[in-house]
Amino acid sequence: MKLASQTTTIGTWALAIKRTLDARGVNGDKLLREAGIDVSQCGDPNTRLPSQKLNRLWELAEVATGDPRFGLSVPMFVHATTLHAMTMANFAATSLYDAFSRSARFSRIITTTMQFALNKQDGVYEIEYLLTEPNSLSQHGVEASMLLCVRMAREIDLNPENKPIAVHLKRRENNDRAFFEQAFGCPVHFESQRWFIEMDAAQVEAPLPTANPEILQSCERIMAEYLARMDKADISHRVYQLILEYLSTGEPSQERVADALHMSTRSLHRKLTAVGTNFKSLLDNTRRELAMQYIRQSNLSIADITYNLGFYDASSFSRAFKRWTGVSPAKYRRDVALNSPAQQE
């Protein structure tokens, strides 16, 4: 089975959703747990959530509130630090164009589910929201991001009269045009082929009196360091995913994994070395972890486990298992069975 590449979103988005739910009288902690999200980690800006869990939280929130427009409520509960250093950088921007460009450049800090494109044509800028994979982000998540962008633009340039020309959404209208237009403060077009915001170029390019180069420099350094940490953690996880995918077809080779990642084996080796590991260790550790799980499953024979772990034959698996544990797979399984609660009763 082919695994989809993992997409993640900064964990503090979940905290904003929780606060929105709590304000509506819905138990936000309960819904977070139902979505498989650790409530205690949501306030940590360094925590990243698998996007599937965040999308599940959006779904649960819509059902619990009965509000198909729930996403538009969440920007009210976004704190200045919710988006890591991005918000502070944007408030110190030299222009809205500077802020939008920076948001596009550092968008992976917020989410890897979506990219932002900034295009100019005939005196109008389009801020477009592009999903990195089909359905990688809930419609609620996209609309919340778009409304947050519009509200921040108003606050950054200190002029509430500056509004978008129009907002284009993919959703059906469902007789709620007035609600959306009040929220965005401009005409809203539904059933569009794309998600994007139109803004006057003169407004976007106008210099801002609140620009602060020192704050900008500090925030950009913080964001660059954050992305560097993300990339280091990401490469080992991506290799781990590919090892899992390829194990049942035989021993995964470094060459095959590097090819799937569109890089040379030398580049892969260099990237893994930079994060303190190597391909052989990742493969060995993955097999060892899986072997410990499989050996406890009495319905799996040693031959089944050998195949699942990509070993050439049972003797190869047995040698590796003895290196990991000091005993053979058969003896380890017997010892586990003897020490199980059912046997001790």
Side-chain angles (χ1 to χ4, degrees):
M1 179 179 68
K2 185 171 179 60
L3 296 174
S5 59
Q6 186 187 55
T7 51
T8 61
T9 300
I10 194 166
T12 41
W13 256 119
L15 182 60
I17 297 172
K18 167 189 150 42
R19 287 171 173 165
T20 309
L21 289 167
D22 290 342
R24 292 195 175 197
V26 177
N27 190 329
D29 287 354
K30 179 176 181 292
L31 291 195
L32 259 68
R33 287 192 293 270
E34 287 184 28
I37 297 172
D38 186 344
V39 179
S40 65
Q41 294 183 334
C42 288
D44 183 354
N46 293 308
T47 296
R48 300 195 69 82
L49 300 174
S51 296
Q52 304 95 305
K53 291 186 177 181
L54 194 66
N55 287 341
R56 176 58 177 157
L57 180 59
W58 283 117
E59 293 173 1
L60 291 169
E62 178 179 341
V63 172
T65 60
D67 184 1
R69 307 167 302 195
F70 175 79
L72 298 187
S73 305
V74 175
M76 292 178 57
F77 295 89
V78 172
H79 188 265
T81 58
T82 298
L83 306 183
H84 203 263
M86 183 81 77
T87 309
M88 297 302 297
N90 287 344
F91 273 97
T94 58
S95 65
L96 289 179
Y97 177 83
D98 178 39
F100 294 151
S101 298
R102 183 175 297 100
S103 296
R105 192 164 74 253
F106 289 102
S107 64
R108 288 191 302 128
I109 288 178
I110 312 306
T111 181
T112 61
T113 64
M114 188 167 58
Q115 296 174 341
F116 308 97
L118 185 61
N119 304 304
K120 181 181 180 181
Q121 185 175 4
D122 299 327
V124 174
Y125 275 101
E126 288 185 0
I127 301 100
E128 185 172 5
Y129 292 69
L130 304 162
L131 298 189
T132 54
E133 296 177 8
N135 303 315
S136 61
L137 183 62
S138 163
Q139 177 175 262
H140 289 295
V142 180
E143 292 175 352
S145 298
M146 294 177 74
L147 181 55
L148 184 62
C149 174
V150 169
R151 289 188 172 182
M152 280 192 174
R154 290 177 192 162
E155 294 179 18
I156 289 170
D157 69 7
L158 301 177
N159 187 351
E161 298 304 315
N162 283 344
K163 300 176 181 178
I165 296 171
V167 167
H168 299 254
L169 305 177
K170 289 187 176 182
R171 71 155 59 224
R172 294 183 179 276
E173 181 175 347
N174 295 328
N175 298 318
D176 46 13
R177 178 181 297 274
F179 180 90
F180 278 85
E181 293 191 341
Q182 180 177 5
F184 283 100
C186 68
V188 175
H189 302 286
F190 296 87
E191 300 186 46
S192 171
Q193 296 299 308
R194 299 179 295 138
W195 280 296
F196 65 100
I197 302 166
E198 291 182 284
M199 297 191 72
D200 180 75
Q203 174 191 348
V204 172
E205 295 172 353
L208 297 174
T210 54
N212 190 315
E214 290 184 355
I215 291 178
L216 273 178
Q217 186 177 12
S218 296
C219 289
E220 290 221 3
R221 176 181 53 79
I222 292 169
M223 291 190 290
E225 291 173 353
Y226 183 92
L227 283 181
R229 292 196 301 272
M230 271 184 63
D231 290 340
K232 285 183 178 181
D234 186 56
I235 185 64
S236 58
H237 181 79
R238 290 162 69 193
V239 171
Y240 169 74
Q241 283 189 312
L242 288 168
I243 287 173
L244 288 178
E245 180 179 350
Y246 295 151
L247 273 175
S248 63
T249 61
E251 180 169 330
S253 68
Q254 186 169 356
E255 291 77 9
R256 185 181 182 189
V257 170
D259 184 63
L261 294 172
H262 307 293
M263 64 179 69
S264 67
T265 54
R266 179 175 295 181
S267 294
L268 177 59
H269 176 75
R270 185 173 63 252
K271 288 178 180 291
L272 290 175
T273 300
V275 296
T277 189
N278 58 65
F279 183 81
K280 183 178 179 181
S281 295
L282 285 173
L283 175 59
D284 196 57
N285 290 338
T286 302
R287 280 174 155 169
R288 176 166 47 84
E289 290 173 8
L290 291 175
M292 296 301 104
Q293 297 175 29
Y294 292 155
I295 204 70
R296 290 177 170 82
Q297 299 177 30
S298 58
N299 61 311
L300 289 176
S301 67
I302 299 300
D304 290 333
I305 298 173
T306 298
Y307 173 80
N308 289 340
L309 296 180
F311 284 99
Y312 180 73
D313 53 33
S315 61
S316 299
F317 167 58
S318 183
R319 285 194 299 272
F321 194 89
K322 194 167 185 178
R323 173 166 55 83
W324 295 327
T325 65
V327 298
S328 69
K331 184 177 188 309
Y332 188 92
R333 174 170 274 177
R334 287 196 300 271
D335 291 345
V336 169
L338 288 172
N339 292 320
S340 67
Q343 291 293 327
Q344 294 175 3
E345 289 178 355

